[in-house]
Amino acid sequence: MYKHLFKLIWNKRRQNFLFLSEILISFLVVFAVFSYLTYYYKNYIKPLGFDYNRVWSVSYNGDRLSKNADSLGIFYTNLNKALQAMPEIEAVSFSSSNYPYSSSFISTGLTQGGKKFNNISDFNVGDDYQKVWSVKLVDGRWFTPEDLISKNKGIVINETFSKELFGTAKAAGKLIGDFDDKNKFKIIGVVNDFKANGDFLPANNVMFTQLDTTNLKWASTLLIKVRETAGARFESKLYKFMATTMRSAVEIQHVDEMRDAKNKETIIPMLLFIIVAGFLIINVALGLFGVLWYNINKRKGEIGLRRAIGASGVSVSTQMVLESLILATISVLIGCFFAVQFPLLNVFDIASSVYLIAILLSVLFIYTLVIACSLYPGRQAAAIHPAVALHED
């Protein structure tokens, strides 16, 4: 039976070329869609590594403050105590501008065993940064004031980066070089992976460094963990206090709203792509339906003859569906040849599992589409009466 089907397909190869092309294009488009969805979904299900709820960011300009390092240190210490004395505040930490969901990005490089690690997100943070974000430690400890006077500057890194550096060995207590390997950092702690760029994007390798009096003058962000009782009235009170104290314009942002805005930057383009791909798939489905319908009308004589010599309606319908599936298989195999190049060549530096899952889902989708489009034309072919078909022929 299959030998006969292949012979029929080969004899009508010119007529089947359009069918093959539509399936191939559909497969490649669906593969792209499923690659996107799989990539974003795998990132989404991974934990954030911190708690953004009830965290506010206060941006300010410290140009009008004292330039003397000691005076500035005393000023920020008093400001920190004044804020922590407010009953609506749980924790306060100064920070560089690249806190989670902000539009700022600061990177650096490190050296370990002669190997350089680039594009590491560098967060310059205060002592209570961990309390503000509820960051979980998996090894070692967080910063203390005593770390500011240690011989080697302390840093905290994330868990994935720790495994890249030292494998399964504990990272806490080990020394690592800066980008030029001229100075050494001491790893004092390891935290969970830190997804600072949104729910749908992967966690970068990160390192946290401690703010000291030298670089406090460059800090322009204050992160505050507020209690559930904090509302609009307290936000207004906080704004007035900070504007008066810092003698500059102040902007207060809610991190949960920043998170929503950051996620929309990923979701909206993805939805647009899915909508465009959906319209293309609908047009292809209608095209497949039309091609199959046209082929059946052209083959009424053949179908009528088969029915006349004893073929059942089910066997005629099955033949129509199988022909479509064989043509789809040829297109899918060609599509898989192109799709499998993505994991082999490590395109876009994405895990191979993402592409392999996308290929599997695309194959299932194409077969489902072809079966759905060929069932009704197959039924129509099975319903052809042999006498009528032979009379028309």
Side-chain angles (χ1 to χ4, degrees):
M1 179 181 179
Y2 288 102
K3 183 179 179 181
H4 174 67
L5 288 175
F6 277 109
K7 188 179 290 186
L8 286 173
I9 291 171
W10 177 253
N11 291 336
K12 292 180 169 50
R13 54 189 178 276
R14 289 187 177 179
Q15 294 91 326
N16 291 329
F17 179 76
L18 178 62
F19 188 98
L20 290 168
S21 301
E22 288 183 335
I23 293 297
L24 177 59
I25 293 171
S26 299
F27 176 85
L28 295 176
V29 171
V30 170
F31 169 69
V33 171
F34 279 127
S35 295
Y36 268 108
L37 293 178
T38 304
Y39 174 71
Y40 287 137
Y41 176 74
K42 290 189 76 172
N43 290 328
Y44 179 77
I45 61 176
K46 292 177 181 177
L48 282 174
F50 59 91
D51 182 16
Y52 58 86
N53 290 303
R54 295 184 285 111
V55 176
W56 296 358
S57 74
V58 183
S59 302
Y60 57 87
N61 189 331
D63 290 345
R64 296 187 178 182
L65 300 178
S66 173
K67 304 302 180 185
N68 181 273
D70 293 334
S71 300
L72 197 63
I74 295 171
F75 171 82
Y76 278 123
T77 300
N78 292 334
L79 174 61
N80 194 13
K81 290 179 180 178
L83 289 170
Q84 288 183 340
M86 296 181 181
E88 294 88 353
I89 293 178
E90 282 188 16
V92 178
S93 175
F94 294 98
S95 168
S96 52
S97 59
N98 61 327
Y99 58 94
Y101 309 124
S102 67
S103 300
S104 177
F105 180 76
I106 301 174
S107 66
T108 187
L110 295 174
T111 304
Q112 170 61 22
K115 183 179 179 182
K116 294 189 181 297
F117 296 84
N118 300 314
N119 297 321
I120 302 164
S121 297
D122 184 9
F123 295 90
N124 214 219
V125 302
D127 293 349
D128 287 338
Y129 193 88
Q130 180 196 12
K131 295 179 182 178
V132 171
W133 295 105
S134 302
V135 179
K136 303 292 184 183
L137 281 164
V138 295
D139 185 24
R141 59 176 178 81
W142 192 254
F143 299 110
T144 62
E146 290 73 23
D147 291 318
L148 293 172
I149 56 174
S150 62
K151 178 182 176 182
N152 297 302
K153 189 172 184 179
I155 62 171
V156 175
I157 61 175
N158 65 306
E159 189 173 11
T160 298
F161 189 30
S162 171
K163 290 178 180 177
E164 287 184 23
L165 292 170
F166 307 108
T168 55
K170 287 192 173 185
K174 288 184 166 49
L175 297 178
I176 185 170
D178 60 10
F179 184 74
D180 298 321
D181 206 15
K182 292 180 179 179
N183 300 303
K184 294 292 182 181
F185 295 112
K186 182 179 181 181
I187 300 172
I188 62 171
V190 179
V191 298
N192 286 329
D193 287 343
F194 204 74
K195 289 202 304 185
N197 298 317
D199 296 358
F200 299 97
L201 297 178
N204 293 336
N205 288 337
V206 303
M207 93 178 206
F208 300 93
T209 54
Q210 191 177 17
L211 276 170
D212 55 25
T213 53
T214 304
N215 51 24
L216 259 177
K217 62 182 178 181
W218 305 114
S220 59
T221 305
L222 191 64
L223 298 172
I224 299 175
K225 179 86 167 185
V226 299
R227 302 186 192 278
E228 294 181 358
T229 55
R233 181 176 295 179
F234 172 70
E235 184 174 349
S236 176
K237 173 186 172 183
L238 178 64
Y239 178 86
K240 292 176 182 177
F241 172 79
M242 288 298 299
T244 303
T245 304
M246 304 305 298
R247 292 177 289 170
S248 72
V250 170
E251 181 183 11
I252 299 177
Q253 293 178 286
H254 295 206
V255 173
D256 57 349
E257 296 174 359
M258 296 175 65
R259 169 182 171 267
D260 294 339
K262 199 73 172 179
N263 286 337
K264 283 180 182 178
E265 293 177 8
T266 302
I267 293 172
I268 292 175
M270 182 171 59
L271 287 177
L272 291 175
F273 182 48
I274 291 173
I275 290 170
V276 171
F279 277 115
L280 177 62
I281 297 302
I282 291 171
N283 287 330
V284 167
L286 294 174
L288 294 178
F289 191 83
V291 168
L292 292 171
W293 189 277
Y294 175 75
N295 288 340
I296 288 170
N297 286 331
K298 285 193 69 175
R299 296 169 62 183
K300 273 190 176 181
E302 173 197 335
I303 295 169
L305 182 60
R306 288 198 66 208
R307 293 298 309 276
I309 60 176
S312 65
V314 174
S315 65
V316 170
S317 177
T318 302
Q319 178 187 336
M320 297 295 107
V321 175
L322 284 176
E323 283 184 23
S324 301
L325 288 176
I326 291 172
L327 288 170
T329 300
I330 295 171
S331 294
V332 165
L333 288 174
I334 297 171
C336 284
F337 170 78
F338 290 106
V340 80
Q341 305 306 314
F342 283 79
L344 290 177
L345 300 175
N346 195 27
V347 179
F348 304 123
D349 197 26
I350 293 175
S352 298
S353 59
V354 171
Y355 293 122
L356 296 177
I357 292 171
I359 290 172
L360 178 61
L361 293 174
S362 301
V363 170
L364 293 175
F365 181 87
I366 291 298
Y367 278 127
T368 303
L369 178 68
V370 170
I371 291 173
C373 291
S374 59
L375 279 177
Y376 185 72
R379 277 185 174 182
Q380 292 298 106
I384 294 175
H385 196 279
V388 174
L390 293 173
H391 176 73
E392 288 181 2
D393 195 53

